[in-house]
Amino acid sequence: LLLRIKNLLTNSKNRNNPEFENDKTQVKEPQPTTDNRQLTTIDIEWLAKVEKIAKREINNKNFTMEDLARELLVSQRNMSRKIKQITGLSPNRYIRTIRLQLARQIFETQEIYTLKEVSFAVGFENITYFSQQFEAQFGRHPSEFLFKMETV
């Protein structure tokens, strides 16, 4: 319990640290939060499997966390714990991060040219929500990113 409290305080301090706010365009690497152990190759492979499934099902509106857990052959609770342990993110937040990273890749490769198309391509139905989440993740509004890529 004391270790958990310590980690929560450390994470809170890191979020409020101005050093992290200077470069919001950098994607922050996931950090384990529930203990101080190093990631193993098994953890990395398992997380890669989660990411592969998430990318495959990105447009499936009926795909739930329960379905993801079933494909990983674990309970939903254990899946949530393991994702949280490895990445420091909840499963929903982790999947959202994957979607936003895919959106950024789409912007960079200029595969799709409108914000609405990118939003739908990565599984966001609400463009405003997508824009808010993209800006929170990368520090810039997606339309700015799109316009910058067009001028380059």
Side-chain angles (χ1 to χ4, degrees), residues 4 8 11 15 30-35 37 39 46-47 77-91 93-94:
R4 179 75 177 140
L8 288 171
N11 287 342
R15 281 192 299 271
Q31 298 295 319
T33 59
T34 58
D35 60 24
R37 71 185 181 94
L39 293 180
W46 188 84
L47 202 57
R77 179 76 174 149
N78 283 338
M79 178 196 68
S80 295
R81 285 180 181 166
K82 189 161 186 167
I83 290 174
K84 179 75 173 177
Q85 179 182 37
I86 295 171
T87 66
L89 303 171
S90 70
R93 180 71 182 153
Y94 180 66

PDB file of all heavy atoms in Angstrom, residues 4 8 11 15 30-35 37 39 46-47 77-91 93-94:
ATOM      1  N   ARG A   4       2.341   1.783  -3.430  1.00  0.00           N
ATOM      2  CA  ARG A   4       1.308   2.297  -4.337  1.00  0.00           C
ATOM      3  C   ARG A   4       1.107   3.797  -4.124  1.00  0.00           C
ATOM      4  O   ARG A   4       1.027   4.563  -5.089  1.00  0.00           O
ATOM      5  CB  ARG A   4       0.000   1.543  -4.099  1.00  0.00           C
ATOM      6  CG  ARG A   4      -1.144   2.018  -4.959  1.00  0.00           C
ATOM      7  CD  ARG A   4      -0.980   1.527  -6.376  1.00  0.00           C
ATOM      8  NE  ARG A   4      -2.131   1.935  -7.137  1.00  0.00           N
ATOM      9  CZ  ARG A   4      -2.064   2.384  -8.376  1.00  0.00           C
ATOM     10  NH1 ARG A   4      -0.929   2.438  -8.998  1.00  0.00           N
ATOM     11  NH2 ARG A   4      -3.138   2.761  -8.998  1.00  0.00           N
ATOM     12  N   LEU A   8       1.810   6.779  -6.839  1.00  0.00           N
ATOM     13  CA  LEU A   8       0.772   7.747  -7.209  1.00  0.00           C
ATOM     14  C   LEU A   8       1.275   9.174  -7.038  1.00  0.00           C
ATOM     15  O   LEU A   8       1.045  10.041  -7.885  1.00  0.00           O
ATOM     16  CB  LEU A   8      -0.495   7.526  -6.389  1.00  0.00           C
ATOM     17  CG  LEU A   8      -1.309   6.290  -6.746  1.00  0.00           C
ATOM     18  CD1 LEU A   8      -2.414   6.064  -5.717  1.00  0.00           C
ATOM     19  CD2 LEU A   8      -1.890   6.414  -8.135  1.00  0.00           C
ATOM     20  N   ASN A  11       3.845   9.888  -9.816  1.00  0.00           N
ATOM     21  CA  ASN A  11       3.166  10.122 -11.097  1.00  0.00           C
ATOM     22  C   ASN A  11       2.511  11.495 -11.126  1.00  0.00           C
ATOM     23  O   ASN A  11       2.551  12.192 -12.142  1.00  0.00           O
ATOM     24  CB  ASN A  11       2.125   9.045 -11.360  1.00  0.00           C
ATOM     25  CG  ASN A  11       2.753   7.731 -11.714  1.00  0.00           C
ATOM     26  OD1 ASN A  11       3.912   7.664 -12.089  1.00  0.00           O
ATOM     27  ND2 ASN A  11       1.992   6.661 -11.576  1.00  0.00           N
ATOM     28  N   ARG A  15       3.435  14.597 -13.716  1.00  0.00           N
ATOM     29  CA  ARG A  15       2.448  15.263 -14.577  1.00  0.00           C
ATOM     30  C   ARG A  15       2.501  16.771 -14.407  1.00  0.00           C
ATOM     31  O   ARG A  15       2.216  17.512 -15.341  1.00  0.00           O
ATOM     32  CB  ARG A  15       1.043  14.756 -14.258  1.00  0.00           C
ATOM     33  CG  ARG A  15       0.741  13.422 -14.882  1.00  0.00           C
ATOM     34  CD  ARG A  15      -0.739  13.113 -14.786  1.00  0.00           C
ATOM     35  NE  ARG A  15      -1.214  13.051 -13.411  1.00  0.00           N
ATOM     36  CZ  ARG A  15      -1.220  11.958 -12.657  1.00  0.00           C
ATOM     37  NH1 ARG A  15      -0.774  10.834 -13.136  1.00  0.00           N
ATOM     38  NH2 ARG A  15      -1.688  11.987 -11.434  1.00  0.00           N
ATOM     39  N   PRO A  30       5.511   4.794 -21.860  1.00  0.00           N
ATOM     40  CA  PRO A  30       4.816   4.259 -20.704  1.00  0.00           C
ATOM     41  C   PRO A  30       5.802   3.853 -19.617  1.00  0.00           C
ATOM     42  O   PRO A  30       6.860   3.315 -19.907  1.00  0.00           O
ATOM     43  CB  PRO A  30       4.091   3.032 -21.249  1.00  0.00           C
ATOM     44  CG  PRO A  30       4.255   3.053 -22.717  1.00  0.00           C
ATOM     45  CD  PRO A  30       5.316   4.028 -23.059  1.00  0.00           C
ATOM     46  N   GLN A  31       5.440   4.129 -18.395  1.00  0.00           N
ATOM     47  CA  GLN A  31       6.263   3.767 -17.249  1.00  0.00           C
ATOM     48  C   GLN A  31       5.454   2.875 -16.331  1.00  0.00           C
ATOM     49  O   GLN A  31       4.291   3.148 -16.073  1.00  0.00           O
ATOM     50  CB  GLN A  31       6.696   5.026 -16.477  1.00  0.00           C
ATOM     51  CG  GLN A  31       7.537   5.972 -17.282  1.00  0.00           C
ATOM     52  CD  GLN A  31       8.872   5.372 -17.653  1.00  0.00           C
ATOM     53  OE1 GLN A  31       9.498   4.709 -16.853  1.00  0.00           O
ATOM     54  NE2 GLN A  31       9.308   5.598 -18.881  1.00  0.00           N
ATOM     55  N   PRO A  32       6.052   1.797 -15.838  1.00  0.00           N
ATOM     56  CA  PRO A  32       5.317   0.972 -14.887  1.00  0.00           C
ATOM     57  C   PRO A  32       5.012   1.767 -13.624  1.00  0.00           C
ATOM     58  O   PRO A  32       5.859   2.510 -13.161  1.00  0.00           O
ATOM     59  CB  PRO A  32       6.279  -0.185 -14.585  1.00  0.00           C
ATOM     60  CG  PRO A  32       7.567   0.169 -15.209  1.00  0.00           C
ATOM     61  CD  PRO A  32       7.372   1.339 -16.106  1.00  0.00           C
ATOM     62  N   THR A  33       3.801   1.614 -13.106  1.00  0.00           N
ATOM     63  CA  THR A  33       3.429   2.421 -11.955  1.00  0.00           C
ATOM     64  C   THR A  33       3.178   1.617 -10.695  1.00  0.00           C
ATOM     65  O   THR A  33       3.231   2.163  -9.617  1.00  0.00           O
ATOM     66  CB  THR A  33       2.157   3.229 -12.246  1.00  0.00           C
ATOM     67  OG1 THR A  33       1.121   2.319 -12.566  1.00  0.00           O
ATOM     68  CG2 THR A  33       2.369   4.205 -13.371  1.00  0.00           C
ATOM     69  N   THR A  34       2.871   0.348 -10.823  1.00  0.00           N
ATOM     70  CA  THR A  34       2.503  -0.391  -9.621  1.00  0.00           C
ATOM     71  C   THR A  34       3.680  -1.003  -8.903  1.00  0.00           C
ATOM     72  O   THR A  34       3.561  -1.381  -7.760  1.00  0.00           O
ATOM     73  CB  THR A  34       1.462  -1.479  -9.937  1.00  0.00           C
ATOM     74  OG1 THR A  34       2.017  -2.346 -10.920  1.00  0.00           O
ATOM     75  CG2 THR A  34       0.174  -0.882 -10.435  1.00  0.00           C
ATOM     76  N   ASP A  35       4.805  -1.117  -9.579  1.00  0.00           N
ATOM     77  CA  ASP A  35       6.012  -1.577  -8.901  1.00  0.00           C
ATOM     78  C   ASP A  35       7.230  -1.053  -9.645  1.00  0.00           C
ATOM     79  O   ASP A  35       7.113  -0.414 -10.671  1.00  0.00           O
ATOM     80  CB  ASP A  35       6.041  -3.099  -8.756  1.00  0.00           C
ATOM     81  CG  ASP A  35       5.998  -3.821 -10.093  1.00  0.00           C
ATOM     82  OD1 ASP A  35       6.384  -3.224 -11.121  1.00  0.00           O
ATOM     83  OD2 ASP A  35       5.586  -4.990 -10.108  1.00  0.00           O
ATOM     84  N   ARG A  37       9.732  -2.832 -11.007  1.00  0.00           N
ATOM     85  CA  ARG A  37      10.424  -3.832 -11.798  1.00  0.00           C
ATOM     86  C   ARG A  37      10.620  -3.356 -13.233  1.00  0.00           C
ATOM     87  O   ARG A  37       9.900  -2.491 -13.722  1.00  0.00           O
ATOM     88  CB  ARG A  37       9.666  -5.150 -11.776  1.00  0.00           C
ATOM     89  CG  ARG A  37       8.365  -5.119 -12.555  1.00  0.00           C
ATOM     90  CD  ARG A  37       7.616  -6.439 -12.390  1.00  0.00           C
ATOM     91  NE  ARG A  37       6.404  -6.402 -13.156  1.00  0.00           N
ATOM     92  CZ  ARG A  37       6.290  -6.854 -14.391  1.00  0.00           C
ATOM     93  NH1 ARG A  37       7.304  -7.396 -14.987  1.00  0.00           N
ATOM     94  NH2 ARG A  37       5.146  -6.781 -15.036  1.00  0.00           N
ATOM     95  N   LEU A  39      10.637  -3.951 -17.376  1.00  0.00           N
ATOM     96  CA  LEU A  39       9.814  -4.694 -18.316  1.00  0.00           C
ATOM     97  C   LEU A  39      10.593  -5.875 -18.856  1.00  0.00           C
ATOM     98  O   LEU A  39      11.768  -5.758 -19.181  1.00  0.00           O
ATOM     99  CB  LEU A  39       9.393  -3.800 -19.476  1.00  0.00           C
ATOM    100  CG  LEU A  39       8.449  -2.659 -19.150  1.00  0.00           C
ATOM    101  CD1 LEU A  39       8.127  -1.876 -20.407  1.00  0.00           C
ATOM    102  CD2 LEU A  39       7.168  -3.178 -18.528  1.00  0.00           C
ATOM    103  N   TRP A  46       3.594  -9.346 -24.911  1.00  0.00           N
ATOM    104  CA  TRP A  46       2.175  -9.347 -24.563  1.00  0.00           C
ATOM    105  C   TRP A  46       1.530  -8.023 -24.948  1.00  0.00           C
ATOM    106  O   TRP A  46       0.442  -7.990 -25.516  1.00  0.00           O
ATOM    107  CB  TRP A  46       2.012  -9.620 -23.064  1.00  0.00           C
ATOM    108  CG  TRP A  46       0.597  -9.828 -22.642  1.00  0.00           C
ATOM    109  CD1 TRP A  46      -0.117 -10.981 -22.697  1.00  0.00           C
ATOM    110  CD2 TRP A  46      -0.282  -8.836 -22.104  1.00  0.00           C
ATOM    111  NE1 TRP A  46      -1.387 -10.765 -22.217  1.00  0.00           N
ATOM    112  CE2 TRP A  46      -1.519  -9.456 -21.849  1.00  0.00           C
ATOM    113  CE3 TRP A  46      -0.153  -7.485 -21.810  1.00  0.00           C
ATOM    114  CZ2 TRP A  46      -2.608  -8.781 -21.325  1.00  0.00           C
ATOM    115  CZ3 TRP A  46      -1.238  -6.813 -21.283  1.00  0.00           C
ATOM    116  CH2 TRP A  46      -2.444  -7.460 -21.040  1.00  0.00           C
ATOM    117  N   LEU A  47       2.229  -6.931 -24.659  1.00  0.00           N
ATOM    118  CA  LEU A  47       1.715  -5.608 -24.998  1.00  0.00           C
ATOM    119  C   LEU A  47       1.634  -5.428 -26.514  1.00  0.00           C
ATOM    120  O   LEU A  47       0.700  -4.802 -27.025  1.00  0.00           O
ATOM    121  CB  LEU A  47       2.593  -4.525 -24.367  1.00  0.00           C
ATOM    122  CG  LEU A  47       1.966  -3.166 -24.163  1.00  0.00           C
ATOM    123  CD1 LEU A  47       0.703  -3.277 -23.317  1.00  0.00           C
ATOM    124  CD2 LEU A  47       2.945  -2.217 -23.514  1.00  0.00           C
ATOM    125  N   ARG A  77     -10.330  -8.317 -15.594  1.00  0.00           N
ATOM    126  CA  ARG A  77      -9.655  -7.718 -14.439  1.00  0.00           C
ATOM    127  C   ARG A  77      -8.132  -7.907 -14.531  1.00  0.00           C
ATOM    128  O   ARG A  77      -7.365  -6.973 -14.306  1.00  0.00           O
ATOM    129  CB  ARG A  77     -10.207  -8.359 -13.156  1.00  0.00           C
ATOM    130  CG  ARG A  77      -9.573  -7.853 -11.904  1.00  0.00           C
ATOM    131  CD  ARG A  77     -10.095  -6.484 -11.572  1.00  0.00           C
ATOM    132  NE  ARG A  77      -9.556  -6.106 -10.276  1.00  0.00           N
ATOM    133  CZ  ARG A  77      -9.296  -4.869  -9.946  1.00  0.00           C
ATOM    134  NH1 ARG A  77      -9.539  -3.902 -10.781  1.00  0.00           N
ATOM    135  NH2 ARG A  77      -8.823  -4.596  -8.769  1.00  0.00           N
ATOM    136  N   ASN A  78      -7.685  -9.128 -14.866  1.00  0.00           N
ATOM    137  CA  ASN A  78      -6.251  -9.374 -14.986  1.00  0.00           C
ATOM    138  C   ASN A  78      -5.648  -8.604 -16.159  1.00  0.00           C
ATOM    139  O   ASN A  78      -4.523  -8.116 -16.068  1.00  0.00           O
ATOM    140  CB  ASN A  78      -5.958 -10.865 -15.124  1.00  0.00           C
ATOM    141  CG  ASN A  78      -6.068 -11.586 -13.806  1.00  0.00           C
ATOM    142  OD1 ASN A  78      -5.956 -10.974 -12.748  1.00  0.00           O
ATOM    143  ND2 ASN A  78      -6.296 -12.889 -13.854  1.00  0.00           N
ATOM    144  N   MET A  79      -6.401  -8.501 -17.248  1.00  0.00           N
ATOM    145  CA  MET A  79      -5.926  -7.722 -18.384  1.00  0.00           C
ATOM    146  C   MET A  79      -5.746  -6.259 -17.976  1.00  0.00           C
ATOM    147  O   MET A  79      -4.724  -5.645 -18.274  1.00  0.00           O
ATOM    148  CB  MET A  79      -6.908  -7.810 -19.555  1.00  0.00           C
ATOM    149  CG  MET A  79      -6.492  -6.967 -20.749  1.00  0.00           C
ATOM    150  SD  MET A  79      -7.825  -6.684 -21.922  1.00  0.00           S
ATOM    151  CE  MET A  79      -8.920  -5.634 -20.985  1.00  0.00           C
ATOM    152  N   SER A  80      -6.719  -5.723 -17.282  1.00  0.00           N
ATOM    153  CA  SER A  80      -6.641  -4.334 -16.829  1.00  0.00           C
ATOM    154  C   SER A  80      -5.439  -4.128 -15.915  1.00  0.00           C
ATOM    155  O   SER A  80      -4.701  -3.145 -16.065  1.00  0.00           O
ATOM    156  CB  SER A  80      -7.912  -3.933 -16.091  1.00  0.00           C
ATOM    157  OG  SER A  80      -9.013  -3.954 -16.963  1.00  0.00           O
ATOM    158  N   ARG A  81      -5.257  -5.033 -14.990  1.00  0.00           N
ATOM    159  CA  ARG A  81      -4.121  -4.923 -14.066  1.00  0.00           C
ATOM    160  C   ARG A  81      -2.783  -4.971 -14.810  1.00  0.00           C
ATOM    161  O   ARG A  81      -1.881  -4.207 -14.522  1.00  0.00           O
ATOM    162  CB  ARG A  81      -4.157  -6.050 -13.041  1.00  0.00           C
ATOM    163  CG  ARG A  81      -5.189  -5.864 -11.976  1.00  0.00           C
ATOM    164  CD  ARG A  81      -5.148  -7.024 -11.022  1.00  0.00           C
ATOM    165  NE  ARG A  81      -6.169  -6.873 -10.002  1.00  0.00           N
ATOM    166  CZ  ARG A  81      -6.553  -7.830  -9.194  1.00  0.00           C
ATOM    167  NH1 ARG A  81      -6.007  -9.033  -9.280  1.00  0.00           N
ATOM    168  NH2 ARG A  81      -7.485  -7.622  -8.286  1.00  0.00           N
ATOM    169  N   LYS A  82      -2.680  -5.899 -15.760  1.00  0.00           N
ATOM    170  CA  LYS A  82      -1.413  -6.064 -16.466  1.00  0.00           C
ATOM    171  C   LYS A  82      -1.118  -4.856 -17.357  1.00  0.00           C
ATOM    172  O   LYS A  82       0.016  -4.379 -17.403  1.00  0.00           O
ATOM    173  CB  LYS A  82      -1.425  -7.347 -17.298  1.00  0.00           C
ATOM    174  CG  LYS A  82      -0.068  -7.683 -17.865  1.00  0.00           C
ATOM    175  CD  LYS A  82       0.025  -9.120 -18.270  1.00  0.00           C
ATOM    176  CE  LYS A  82       1.444  -9.426 -18.685  1.00  0.00           C
ATOM    177  NZ  LYS A  82       1.695 -10.831 -18.812  1.00  0.00           N
ATOM    178  N   ILE A  83      -2.114  -4.342 -18.065  1.00  0.00           N
ATOM    179  CA  ILE A  83      -1.903  -3.146 -18.892  1.00  0.00           C
ATOM    180  C   ILE A  83      -1.511  -1.971 -18.010  1.00  0.00           C
ATOM    181  O   ILE A  83      -0.585  -1.223 -18.322  1.00  0.00           O
ATOM    182  CB  ILE A  83      -3.154  -2.834 -19.742  1.00  0.00           C
ATOM    183  CG1 ILE A  83      -3.327  -3.892 -20.829  1.00  0.00           C
ATOM    184  CG2 ILE A  83      -3.051  -1.443 -20.369  1.00  0.00           C
ATOM    185  CD1 ILE A  83      -4.595  -3.772 -21.639  1.00  0.00           C
ATOM    186  N   LYS A  84      -2.193  -1.820 -16.903  1.00  0.00           N
ATOM    187  CA  LYS A  84      -1.876  -0.740 -15.964  1.00  0.00           C
ATOM    188  C   LYS A  84      -0.463  -0.900 -15.414  1.00  0.00           C
ATOM    189  O   LYS A  84       0.291   0.071 -15.290  1.00  0.00           O
ATOM    190  CB  LYS A  84      -2.908  -0.721 -14.830  1.00  0.00           C
ATOM    191  CG  LYS A  84      -2.677   0.334 -13.785  1.00  0.00           C
ATOM    192  CD  LYS A  84      -3.051   1.689 -14.283  1.00  0.00           C
ATOM    193  CE  LYS A  84      -2.979   2.696 -13.143  1.00  0.00           C
ATOM    194  NZ  LYS A  84      -3.265   4.030 -13.571  1.00  0.00           N
ATOM    195  N   GLN A  85      -0.087  -2.110 -15.091  1.00  0.00           N
ATOM    196  CA  GLN A  85       1.243  -2.379 -14.544  1.00  0.00           C
ATOM    197  C   GLN A  85       2.332  -2.074 -15.559  1.00  0.00           C
ATOM    198  O   GLN A  85       3.346  -1.478 -15.222  1.00  0.00           O
ATOM    199  CB  GLN A  85       1.324  -3.848 -14.125  1.00  0.00           C
ATOM    200  CG  GLN A  85       2.657  -4.264 -13.553  1.00  0.00           C
ATOM    201  CD  GLN A  85       2.673  -5.741 -13.211  1.00  0.00           C
ATOM    202  OE1 GLN A  85       2.088  -6.549 -13.926  1.00  0.00           O
ATOM    203  NE2 GLN A  85       3.333  -6.085 -12.129  1.00  0.00           N
ATOM    204  N   ILE A  86       2.128  -2.447 -16.813  1.00  0.00           N
ATOM    205  CA  ILE A  86       3.158  -2.275 -17.832  1.00  0.00           C
ATOM    206  C   ILE A  86       3.232  -0.834 -18.321  1.00  0.00           C
ATOM    207  O   ILE A  86       4.317  -0.278 -18.475  1.00  0.00           O
ATOM    208  CB  ILE A  86       2.911  -3.230 -19.020  1.00  0.00           C
ATOM    209  CG1 ILE A  86       3.059  -4.685 -18.565  1.00  0.00           C
ATOM    210  CG2 ILE A  86       3.882  -2.941 -20.162  1.00  0.00           C
ATOM    211  CD1 ILE A  86       2.616  -5.698 -19.601  1.00  0.00           C
ATOM    212  N   THR A  87       2.078  -0.222 -18.582  1.00  0.00           N
ATOM    213  CA  THR A  87       2.063   1.094 -19.228  1.00  0.00           C
ATOM    214  C   THR A  87       1.794   2.250 -18.278  1.00  0.00           C
ATOM    215  O   THR A  87       2.102   3.392 -18.615  1.00  0.00           O
ATOM    216  CB  THR A  87       0.986   1.149 -20.323  1.00  0.00           C
ATOM    217  OG1 THR A  87      -0.312   1.052 -19.730  1.00  0.00           O
ATOM    218  CG2 THR A  87       1.179   0.057 -21.356  1.00  0.00           C
ATOM    219  N   GLY A  88       1.154   1.970 -17.163  1.00  0.00           N
ATOM    220  CA  GLY A  88       0.738   3.045 -16.271  1.00  0.00           C
ATOM    221  C   GLY A  88      -0.575   3.663 -16.705  1.00  0.00           C
ATOM    222  O   GLY A  88      -1.024   4.650 -16.134  1.00  0.00           O
ATOM    223  N   LEU A  89      -1.208   3.080 -17.707  1.00  0.00           N
ATOM    224  CA  LEU A  89      -2.468   3.595 -18.247  1.00  0.00           C
ATOM    225  C   LEU A  89      -3.571   2.565 -18.068  1.00  0.00           C
ATOM    226  O   LEU A  89      -3.309   1.366 -18.079  1.00  0.00           O
ATOM    227  CB  LEU A  89      -2.325   3.908 -19.745  1.00  0.00           C
ATOM    228  CG  LEU A  89      -1.238   4.882 -20.152  1.00  0.00           C
ATOM    229  CD1 LEU A  89      -1.102   4.905 -21.665  1.00  0.00           C
ATOM    230  CD2 LEU A  89      -1.525   6.270 -19.619  1.00  0.00           C
ATOM    231  N   SER A  90      -4.805   3.057 -17.973  1.00  0.00           N
ATOM    232  CA  SER A  90      -5.941   2.139 -17.975  1.00  0.00           C
ATOM    233  C   SER A  90      -6.057   1.544 -19.381  1.00  0.00           C
ATOM    234  O   SER A  90      -5.545   2.121 -20.349  1.00  0.00           O
ATOM    235  CB  SER A  90      -7.220   2.881 -17.616  1.00  0.00           C
ATOM    236  OG  SER A  90      -7.583   3.748 -18.675  1.00  0.00           O
ATOM    237  N   PRO A  91      -6.724   0.404 -19.527  1.00  0.00           N
ATOM    238  CA  PRO A  91      -6.867  -0.179 -20.863  1.00  0.00           C
ATOM    239  C   PRO A  91      -7.527   0.773 -21.858  1.00  0.00           C
ATOM    240  O   PRO A  91      -7.080   0.886 -23.005  1.00  0.00           O
ATOM    241  CB  PRO A  91      -7.737  -1.413 -20.629  1.00  0.00           C
ATOM    242  CG  PRO A  91      -7.462  -1.790 -19.221  1.00  0.00           C
ATOM    243  CD  PRO A  91      -7.254  -0.478 -18.493  1.00  0.00           C
ATOM    244  N   ARG A  93      -7.536   4.064 -21.829  1.00  0.00           N
ATOM    245  CA  ARG A  93      -6.581   5.134 -22.131  1.00  0.00           C
ATOM    246  C   ARG A  93      -5.467   4.615 -23.043  1.00  0.00           C
ATOM    247  O   ARG A  93      -5.023   5.304 -23.951  1.00  0.00           O
ATOM    248  CB  ARG A  93      -6.002   5.707 -20.830  1.00  0.00           C
ATOM    249  CG  ARG A  93      -5.009   6.799 -21.041  1.00  0.00           C
ATOM    250  CD  ARG A  93      -5.678   8.071 -21.529  1.00  0.00           C
ATOM    251  NE  ARG A  93      -4.654   9.067 -21.763  1.00  0.00           N
ATOM    252  CZ  ARG A  93      -4.753  10.044 -22.622  1.00  0.00           C
ATOM    253  NH1 ARG A  93      -5.856  10.199 -23.315  1.00  0.00           N
ATOM    254  NH2 ARG A  93      -3.770  10.879 -22.794  1.00  0.00           N
ATOM    255  N   TYR A  94      -5.025   3.389 -22.801  1.00  0.00           N
ATOM    256  CA  TYR A  94      -3.988   2.805 -23.640  1.00  0.00           C
ATOM    257  C   TYR A  94      -4.482   2.634 -25.081  1.00  0.00           C
ATOM    258  O   TYR A  94      -3.783   2.991 -26.030  1.00  0.00           O
ATOM    259  CB  TYR A  94      -3.520   1.462 -23.067  1.00  0.00           C
ATOM    260  CG  TYR A  94      -2.447   0.821 -23.892  1.00  0.00           C
ATOM    261  CD1 TYR A  94      -1.196   1.408 -24.002  1.00  0.00           C
ATOM    262  CD2 TYR A  94      -2.679  -0.358 -24.583  1.00  0.00           C
ATOM    263  CE1 TYR A  94      -0.204   0.836 -24.776  1.00  0.00           C
ATOM    264  CE2 TYR A  94      -1.691  -0.937 -25.356  1.00  0.00           C
ATOM    265  CZ  TYR A  94      -0.454  -0.336 -25.444  1.00  0.00           C
ATOM    266  OH  TYR A  94       0.522  -0.896 -26.221  1.00  0.00           O
TER     267      TYR A  94
END
